[in-house]
Amino acid sequence: MQKPQQPIEFALKETSPKIGAGAVTSDKLSCTYDLVEQMQYLYVRVVKAKDLPGKDITGTCDPYVEVKLGNYKGVTKHFEKKSNPEWNHVFAFSKERIQASVLEVVLKDHDVVLDDFMGRIMFELNDIPKRVPPDSPLAPQWYRLEDRKGDKVKGELMLAVWMGTQADEAFPDAWHSDAATVGPEGVALIRSKVYLSPKLWYVRVNVIEAQDLVPSDKTRYPEVFVKAILGNQALRTRTSQIKGINPMWNEDLLFVVAEPFEEHLILTVEDRVGSNKDEILGKCVIPLHNIQRRLDHKPVNTRWFNLEKHMIVEGEQKKETKFASRIHLRLCLDGGYHVLDESTHYSSDLRPTAKQLWKSSIGILELGVISAHGLMPMKTKDGRGTTDAFCVAKYGQKWVRTRTIVDSFMPKWNEQYIWEVFDPCTVLTIGVFDNGHIHGGGKDSRIGKVRIRLSTLETDRVYTHSYPLLVLHHPSGVKKMGEIQLAVRFSCSSLINMLHIYSHPLLPKMHYIHPLSVIQLDSLRHQATQIVSMRLNRAEPPLRKEVVEYMLDVDSHMWSMRRSKANFFRIMGVLSGLIAVGKWFDSICHWKNPLTTVLIHILFIILVLYPELILPTIFLYLFLIGIWNYRWRARHPPHMDTRLSHADAVHPDELDEEFDTFPTSKPADTVRMRYDRLRSIAGRVQTVVGDMATQGERFQSLLSWRDPRATTLFVTFCFIAAIVLYVTPFQVIALLTGLYVLRHPRFRHKLPSVPLNFFRRLPARSDSML
């Protein structure tokens, strides 16, 4: 079936950026920083000053340095009353934007009314040296200050000035001329940064039993359950079937926790004394660092923990430990699982928590975030649209964030990052965002996202493409927010190891030996994403919650009519091949092309006479199809497809429903209309499921004697068939059956066949349904 093409503006475009990869060059940069375009910068490192003259009445000064280059001006912080200040501050001026020929470094004294000029140093741009890593950094030198006439004055300034590229070690922490409009407090929010996801563990709490509980009401049997709290996660066991003071549960509770362990596990044994009233019979607090770490499925030792009772006496909480109530637990940190914190369809890491179980890496993934163009204005500033764009890339436990390019619809980042790869069947996710925190406390807005599956990449090939940034907006539908230009290379260290990975299970062994239920996995994934977003939000600069949740596809499991339609048509696309084969076989049976039918007859007779050729023929045919399809293999990575997603023709109301909150915030009439629509769709699904059940029950009734005449006929037929098949060679049976199926249309009837008529008459349990 021919796949419908999506509009050309939403398609992937191959690009040819001026990057070092593949180029023959003597530049040292080309081998280490070769997936991005080189950007030239003028670096000024202001280290310190000495012997500065006093300027105010007290004979001291409040010095700071101003670095000026044409219209751009960078300023260090000022020190109160200090004649030997130290700044160690780096300024980076983009060569593209340099219009001046002279760099001016001015030392000033901070004053309430007007800052005093203390001296300056001038540099001709033509005389500034070039530096390319891995050359060692340029050593700063002392320069004597000069007045405006060029005469030497008191005081010296230690500086280093050089021309370099974004590969320079000083680049990430430098003040950039691109961000001249950002205040000193905002500079930290626009820097590039590498983050690491916290190490996540599953905590398994096996609640076995409790002993010697002391309920306050001795006249009734207690209905006891255990509640476990870890951070903001709370779970409870079912009520014990043994109603007494020694209840039993033997129930597993699973939590997600991140290193370093900050919270304690709190267990309370509670008695349901009324409809909404629970009485605490005992409590214990267990530090997580005392819990045993388990790497496989072998059970850990059980332990008894004393339960303490907290009683409130005249408003004060008192601890009572006179009795010996206790609880029997089996606790462990399960290191053999992979803690899922992203959607299973887009996982970037499948390794277990415990490092001892990690296999060696199979290669490296390199990403060059080059530039974006055609970005849409994301906010309004001074009456005009503006965008402060940055990128976030996530693979495995490592997140990277590029610097923010302030006020640009065509930002150039040219930053390169590298990851170790442990499994090729993983996905790299790149998101583009607008920084909403530079000029106040807004939110980081999503501009778009790109996913690249490593298994679709050829090894050691550099892919340079411009990816459309597509976002679904309400109520306008799918919208192109711009394009991002990326360079990607997946290098493999051992082809044998990588091919061997394809024979391994996708997830660690524990997921198959002790599988977790779908409901458990869904709940644990939600907890894991909350923990990851909370931890990354505490970093500096913070990776905000809205960014992390968009990258981890937190809302991908929510109901969407559009996604449901898209998935239905995906199933139809998969089945279309089988349907096409069925139609072709039907045309063969009806002799639409007599020559083809005759050839099929000959092939069929050969396979019946020589059955040992059947499997080799099938596999040879699959081999030839694979070789034939090699000519049309994909030359570029897959990308977001608006047609496949049914995003290009989505109904506004379906879009409104997809963007609705959970629980809903819509008026009652809208909810009623959507509920009725869902009921009508569910009614059709219900009918299909019922029809499938009917066919299955008809098969069961062949031998169940529900219809005694039908079962008699079928049993008699089976007995005769057994005798005939025993005395007749199998090849004769196969030959006669095949010739009957392929018979000419003049020997066919339009009425259904006898076996089909018989099957349709069999009883099903549908007549017992209310």
Side-chain angles (χ1 to χ4, degrees):
M1 190 172 77
Q2 185 64 38
K3 194 174 80 170
Q5 292 295 310
Q6 62 174 346
I8 192 74
E9 72 266 22
F10 296 158
L12 195 68
K13 299 183 186 78
E14 191 150 7
T15 58
S16 304
K18 295 171 185 165
I19 61 174
V24 180
T25 168
S26 59
D27 196 339
K28 293 175 189 172
L29 221 98
S30 63
C31 57
T32 53
Y33 224 70
D34 60 345
L35 294 185
V36 290
E37 296 176 348
Q38 284 190 31
M39 296 174 79
Q40 299 293 326
Y41 284 89
L42 167 62
Y43 289 98
V44 181
R45 183 187 291 278
V46 180
V47 184
K48 56 186 174 180
K50 67 177 182 183
D51 302 334
L52 299 182
K55 281 285 180 184
D56 50 23
I57 306 161
T58 58
T60 58
C61 60
D62 308 331
Y64 71 92
V65 175
E66 193 176 85
V67 181
K68 292 165 77 176
L69 186 63
N71 298 328
Y72 294 106
K73 181 171 74 174
V75 181
T76 67
K77 64 179 179 181
H78 76 273
F79 286 101
E80 298 281 342
K81 298 181 172 50
K82 202 164 186 185
S83 56
N84 298 314
E86 276 197 38
W87 294 281
N88 204 19
H89 196 100
V90 181
F91 298 88
F93 297 89
S94 173
K95 194 178 177 184
E96 271 187 356
R97 301 191 183 188
I98 294 176
Q99 291 169 339
S101 59
V102 176
L103 169 72
E104 189 178 358
V105 182
V106 184
L107 190 68
K108 290 188 175 182
D109 174 43
H110 182 72
D111 212 340
V112 180
V113 184
L114 187 68
D115 294 348
D116 295 323
F117 174 87
M118 296 177 71
R120 69 178 181 183
I121 303 155
M122 309 282 279
F123 294 91
E124 287 285 337
L125 291 195
N126 297 335
D127 300 336
I128 291 172
K130 252 190 150 179
R131 185 221 163 198
V132 180
D135 290 355
S136 53
L138 211 69
Q141 296 177 32
W142 286 106
Y143 292 88
R144 186 80 179 270
L145 295 173
E146 298 173 354
D147 61 15
R148 288 197 170 93
K149 295 175 185 173
D151 298 330
K152 302 288 182 192
V153 293
K154 190 182 178 191
E156 290 183 72
L157 193 58
M158 185 183 265
L159 296 173
V161 182
W162 72 96
M163 295 296 295
T165 66
Q166 75 269 35
D168 207 291
E169 302 89 59
F171 179 78
D173 297 321
W175 174 93
H176 289 274
S177 57
D178 304 357
T181 56
V182 179
E185 66 286 340
V187 170
L189 299 171
I190 63 170
R191 290 216 168 112
S192 58
K193 175 88 175 178
V194 174
Y195 306 84
L196 284 177
S197 279
K199 190 176 184 181
L200 300 173
W201 291 81
Y202 284 145
V203 181
R204 189 182 291 273
V205 182
N206 179 221
V207 183
I208 302 168
E209 59 181 328
Q211 279 186 0
D212 304 326
L213 298 178
V214 185
S216 56
D217 184 359
K218 305 283 193 299
T219 60
R220 55 178 282 280
Y221 287 113
E223 296 179 23
V224 186
F225 63 91
V226 176
K227 188 192 282 182
I229 297 171
L230 184 58
N232 58 359
Q233 305 167 71
L235 295 173
R236 50 162 289 179
T237 65
R238 64 186 185 281
T239 303
S240 173
Q241 299 298 308
I242 300 169
K243 292 184 171 23
I245 60 167
N246 298 318
M248 290 189 73
W249 296 276
N250 199 21
E251 198 171 326
D252 271 359
L253 304 176
L254 272 171
F255 297 92
V256 180
V257 69
E259 285 186 5
F261 303 137
E262 294 171 351
E263 296 102 359
H264 292 333
L265 175 67
I266 301 166
L267 291 165
T268 54
V269 181
E270 302 186 20
D271 178 16
R272 174 61 53 90
V273 291
S275 58
N276 284 318
K277 194 180 174 192
D278 301 322
E279 182 200 350
I280 296 176
L281 303 180
K283 177 180 177 181
C284 73
V285 178
I286 303 163
L288 291 179
H289 54 79
N290 293 344
I291 296 176
Q292 188 176 335
R293 299 182 182 205
R294 168 173 97 155
L295 305 182
D296 52 25
H297 61 284
K298 290 172 186 167
V300 295
N301 296 328
T302 62
R303 282 179 64 189
W304 286 95
F305 292 88
N306 287 330
L307 291 167
E308 295 164 349
K309 189 160 186 181
H310 293 258
M311 299 185 70
I312 295 170
V313 183
E314 296 173 8
E316 289 183 17
Q317 205 178 60
K318 292 189 177 179
K319 198 184 283 184
E320 186 189 280
T321 52
K322 291 178 183 174
F323 60 95
S325 289
R326 53 189 196 150
I327 188 166
H328 195 195
L329 304 172
R330 182 182 276 116
L331 300 170
C332 67
L333 289 159
D334 260 331
Y337 290 95
H338 168 67
V339 180
L340 292 159
D341 62 343
E342 50 200 342
S343 174
T344 44
H345 301 297
Y346 321 124
S347 284
S348 62
D349 188 14
L350 302 164
R351 291 171 296 169
T353 301
K355 221 167 182 175
Q356 301 95 304
L357 301 176
W358 289 6
K359 304 279 194 301
S360 57
S361 69
I362 57 158
I364 56 167
L365 170 66
E366 293 163 282
L367 171 70
V369 183
I370 299 172
S371 62
H373 61 272
L375 296 185
M376 305 292 274
M378 298 300 293
K379 54 181 177 279
T380 308
K381 187 189 169 203
D382 302 331
R384 63 182 184 86
T386 177
T387 298
D388 306 322
F390 68 93
C391 287
V392 174
K394 193 243 186 231
Y395 184 78
Q397 293 179 324
K398 180 174 162 185
W399 299 65
V400 298
R401 173 198 181 122
T402 66
R403 69 194 190 285
T404 301
I405 306 294
V406 178
D407 193 13
S408 173
F409 299 134
M410 299 181 69
K412 288 188 177 180
W413 293 286
N414 284 304
E415 295 184 26
Q416 186 166 335
Y417 298 98
I418 187 168
W419 287 268
E420 273 193 302
V421 177
F422 293 86
D423 194 315
C425 304
T426 45
V427 176
L428 166 70
T429 306
I430 303 112
V432 185
F433 300 88
D434 172 61
N435 196 327
H437 297 269
I438 303 173
H439 306 292
K443 272 191 164 187
D444 291 339
S445 311
R446 54 181 76 166
I447 296 175
K449 182 163 56 181
V450 174
R451 296 192 200 99
I452 300 170
R453 186 170 287 277
L454 269 61
S455 58
T456 62
L457 305 178
E458 294 172 23
T459 50
D460 299 315
R461 176 184 159 189
V462 177
Y463 288 84
T464 51
H465 289 90
S466 187
Y467 294 81
L469 296 167
L470 306 175
V471 172
L472 209 56
H473 277 289
H474 174 250
S476 57
V478 72
K479 191 174 180 184
K480 182 177 174 181
M481 306 296 288
E483 293 186 11
I484 181 169
Q485 192 177 9
L486 302 172
V488 182
R489 178 171 54 208
F490 172 36
S491 308
C492 168
S493 52
S494 167
L495 185 63
I496 300 293
N497 283 353
M498 186 166 73
L499 295 178
H500 184 53
I501 289 279
Y502 280 85
S503 67
H504 290 187
L506 201 60
L507 290 164
K509 282 191 294 187
M510 281 292 284
H511 286 267
Y512 306 99
I513 297 167
H514 274 196
L516 305 172
S517 70
V518 175
I519 295 167
Q520 270 182 321
L521 282 172
D522 210 39
S523 165
L524 291 167
R525 177 180 167 242
H526 175 71
Q527 295 299 339
T529 53
Q530 294 299 311
I531 289 169
V532 170
S533 63
M534 195 171 66
R535 285 286 177 93
L536 294 177
N537 197 30
R538 285 180 357 204
E540 192 59 51
L543 204 55
R544 305 285 176 184
K545 189 172 189 278
E546 59 270 20
V547 172
V548 176
E549 289 188 347
Y550 182 55
M551 295 290 288
L552 294 177
D553 285 288
V554 164
D555 56 354
S556 63
H557 65 287
M558 297 296 283
W559 160 257
S560 157
M561 180 72 83
R562 174 188 63 81
R563 279 200 201 109
S564 302
K565 279 183 185 173
N567 288 335
F568 173 75
F569 284 105
R570 283 172 64 201
I571 290 171
M572 293 308 294
V574 170
L575 296 176
S576 65
L578 293 173
I579 294 165
V581 169
K583 285 179 179 174
W584 171 80
F585 187 69
D586 189 61
S587 70
I588 295 293
C589 292
H590 286 85
W591 293 67
K592 298 275 175 71
N593 186 334
L595 179 62
T596 310
T597 306
V598 169
L599 288 172
I600 291 295
H601 273 81
I602 294 165
L603 178 64
F604 173 68
I605 291 164
I606 291 168
L607 291 177
V608 168
L609 295 175
Y610 303 98
E612 64 274 12
L613 294 178
I614 293 172
L615 287 176
T617 303
I618 291 169
F619 284 108
L620 181 65
Y621 184 60
L622 294 173
F623 168 76
L624 292 173
I625 290 173
I627 295 297
W628 181 258
N629 287 346
Y630 183 75
R631 293 164 59 194
W632 291 288
R633 71 192 186 280
R635 303 284 179 169
H636 54 74
H639 63 293
M640 305 293 183
D641 191 326
T642 53
R643 280 280 153 85
L644 182 73
S645 312
H646 273 248
D648 52 351
V650 63
H651 192 276
D653 183 63
E654 291 174 7
L655 206 57
D656 187 50
E657 183 180 24
E658 189 169 333
F659 279 85
D660 192 7
T661 54
F662 188 87
T664 182
S665 54
K666 298 295 174 187
D669 290 345
T670 307
V671 175
R672 189 179 293 113
M673 182 271 289
R674 286 175 184 165
Y675 174 60
D676 289 340
R677 182 174 64 196
L678 208 55
R679 281 174 71 192
S680 69
I681 293 165
R684 284 178 234 156
V685 173
Q686 175 183 289
T687 306
V688 172
V689 171
D691 288 345
M692 289 166 67
T694 298
Q695 305 310 327
E697 286 166 357
R698 281 176 177 160
F699 269 110
Q700 288 178 336
S701 64
L702 281 170
L703 294 168
S704 69
W705 297 92
R706 279 185 69 81
D707 180 342
R709 284 164 294 281
T711 305
T712 303
L713 283 170
F714 183 67
V715 168
T716 308
F717 168 76
C718 288
F719 181 69
I720 295 166
I723 294 167
V724 170
L725 289 170
Y726 181 72
V727 298
T728 313
F730 175 74
Q731 285 167 310
V732 174
I733 299 290
L735 195 63
L736 291 172
T737 306
L739 292 173
Y740 175 75
V741 170
L742 294 167
R743 69 194 183 280
H744 197 273
R746 75 174 57 168
F747 303 115
R748 292 177 184 276
H749 299 290
K750 289 193 175 177
L751 298 174
S753 64
V754 173
L756 198 59
N757 291 334
F758 177 76
F759 182 74
R760 283 176 179 166
R761 288 174 176 277
L762 291 168
R765 301 188 69 185
S766 51
D767 41 353
S768 302
M769 292 278 289
L770 282 171

